[in-house]
Amino acid sequence: MEAFAEFTQEAKEHLLREDRRLLGRLLGEAIREQAGEAMLERVERIRQTAVAFRRAESGAGPEAGAHEVKAELESLLNALDIEQTLHVVRAFSYFSHLLNIAEDVQQNRRRRAHAEAGSPPRPGSLAHALDRLQDEGRGGEELLAWLSRARVSPVLTAHPTEVQRQSILDCEREIARLLAAPQNAARDEALQREVLRLWLTSMLRLTRLEVADEINNALAYFRMTFLAELPRLYADLEAALQARFGLARTPRLASFLTVGTWIGGDRDGNPHVTAAVLKHALAQQAQLALGHYLGEVNQLGRELSVSTRVRAIPQALRLLAEGSGDDSPYRRDEPYRRALSGIYARLAASAAALAGLRAVPAPGAALAPTASAEELAA
């Protein structure tokens, strides 16, 4: 087992080195294509000289040469004009970003490998926390009672110093996704396109963001993470609680984790946050949430094609389907789809009334909005 573990670790480190080499090569090709061979050679010489200076200064190289290497590095940098300086700064910045992406992908590989090998849960994971609670003699019902009172609320804040552009973040996420995919020619070609896109994208904005822009940027994080991952988090925790503590049925956890945001509502002296801005922030958040629900219900309607000719259905579902306003003869024997058509129609009415959001596709019937969150849940 120890030999296997060593081999596995060696293989992982090899993958990380290969990822670094690949991304470095692709960035070099982008620089050569867009800024010329001479610029690429200049960047590489500065990089090699900087590495040599770092080694000499740290004692990893000949100490006597540290002064000479430093002088050479200063000479190379001082000889740059403004355009060349910008190319060098962007090259080193993007190279650093790409190395971080490679390390993140490698960390995810390690996490998956530990899970597949059945290794003990790692610190920081839900499984590790549940193990500790179980070791302390805590019971499942006690944890459920505690979670019903718990409140965890990460809050998104606006930082004027944040200069990372959404375009850069989108590009880097796509590079990470591709790097984690199985290696083949098509993947490498797609990576080359993304690295080139990264190089051709301006790193900094020329104008400061408005509050409305900050609101939109914050909502992007809900689309990318919270809306999809929070339900998974609850489902994983519910299943783990049932399995570890021998609960008779899978628990239904209360909403103890709620994401907050003060962007668009921070009345701490920001003169740009007005009543109109607050109203805009709330409307955008409502449109995001209701739009997400509309999309999920529409998807469920496509998936749940269960037919009464094959399976009996509960009376409550039959009543919900009959009150949906969906009288299509093509779905007469598909009560789930008809019920979801009704839910979609009421959600669409709520979205229009609360947030001015027009549902696409349009609902098949005109129904009243849901009167409350509890009614929607029911």
Side-chain angles (χ1 to χ4, degrees), residues 13-314:
E13 294 303 323
H14 173 74
L15 279 174
L16 178 57
R17 288 193 298 270
E18 290 299 307
D19 288 344
R20 286 172 169 170
R21 290 194 189 101
L22 173 62
L23 293 176
R25 177 175 61 80
L26 294 177
L27 179 61
E29 290 175 0
I31 295 172
R32 177 189 291 112
E33 178 183 319
Q34 300 300 317
E37 183 70 35
M39 191 67 241
L40 176 60
E41 291 177 358
R42 186 174 287 110
V43 168
E44 182 59 18
R45 186 177 176 189
I46 291 172
R47 185 192 69 80
Q48 292 175 352
T49 307
V51 170
F53 172 64
R54 179 71 176 268
R55 287 176 177 170
E57 191 180 40
S58 64
E63 290 187 27
H67 180 75
E68 289 79 2
V69 176
K70 180 182 179 182
E72 181 184 358
L73 181 59
E74 289 177 346
S75 176
L76 289 171
L77 295 175
N78 290 335
L80 298 174
D81 59 27
I82 293 297
E83 183 179 4
Q84 292 169 343
T85 300
L86 290 175
H87 283 318
V88 169
V89 169
R90 296 178 76 248
F92 277 84
S93 297
Y94 281 140
F95 185 63
S96 176
H97 288 201
L98 293 173
L99 289 184
N100 288 339
I101 291 172
E103 290 171 1
D104 288 344
V105 170
Q106 177 67 359
Q107 182 64 32
N108 289 335
R109 288 191 188 114
R110 288 197 190 100
R111 196 175 292 118
R112 286 195 299 270
H114 278 286
E116 291 168 1
S119 304
R122 299 171 70 83
S125 65
L126 283 174
H128 184 264
L130 292 178
D131 279 351
R132 290 186 59 186
L133 290 168
Q134 199 170 31
D135 292 343
E136 292 175 6
R138 305 289 185 176
E141 296 300 331
E142 181 184 5
L143 289 178
L144 290 177
W146 184 85
L147 286 170
S148 70
R149 304 188 305 272
R151 290 293 179 270
V152 180
S153 185
V155 177
L156 299 178
T157 61
H159 293 284
T161 54
E162 175 58 63
V163 294
Q164 186 84 309
R165 297 186 60 200
Q166 191 65 47
S167 299
I168 299 293
L169 294 173
D170 290 342
C171 188
E172 291 180 350
R173 274 190 291 271
E174 181 61 12
I175 290 172
R177 186 191 70 79
L178 290 167
L179 199 61
Q183 192 279 329
N184 56 49
R187 185 210 72 160
D188 289 352
E189 183 179 349
L191 270 172
Q192 184 178 25
R193 288 196 300 269
E194 289 303 317
V195 172
L196 176 59
R197 179 162 74 100
L198 186 68
W199 177 258
L200 292 174
T201 302
S202 177
M203 297 186 77
L204 303 177
R205 302 180 183 92
L206 297 180
T207 55
R208 183 173 177 174
L209 289 179
E210 301 291 336
V211 177
D213 299 312
E214 293 176 345
I215 293 169
N216 290 334
N217 283 348
L219 294 180
Y221 287 99
F222 283 87
R223 295 186 187 95
M224 290 183 296
T225 56
F226 299 123
L227 291 177
E229 296 306 322
L230 284 181
R232 291 194 184 105
L233 176 68
Y234 279 104
D236 289 347
L237 182 54
E238 288 167 351
L241 284 168
Q242 182 188 26
R244 287 172 184 274
F245 296 95
L247 300 177
R249 56 195 298 182
T250 304
R252 182 77 175 265
L253 294 178
S255 298
F256 65 89
L257 199 160
T258 56
V259 182
T261 173
W262 70 321
I263 302 172
D266 47 330
R267 301 301 186 88
D268 58 352
N270 186 340
H272 302 292
V273 178
T274 63
V277 168
L278 177 58
K279 185 176 180 180
H280 172 73
L282 290 172
Q284 291 295 105
Q285 293 168 28
Q287 287 184 11
L288 178 73
L290 290 165
H292 175 71
Y293 284 135
L294 285 166
E296 293 292 294
V297 171
N298 187 44
Q299 180 65 29
L300 273 177
R302 289 198 295 267
E303 293 175 1
L304 294 182
S305 55
V306 180
S307 172
T308 53
R309 290 181 292 166
V310 180
R311 183 183 179 89
I313 62 166

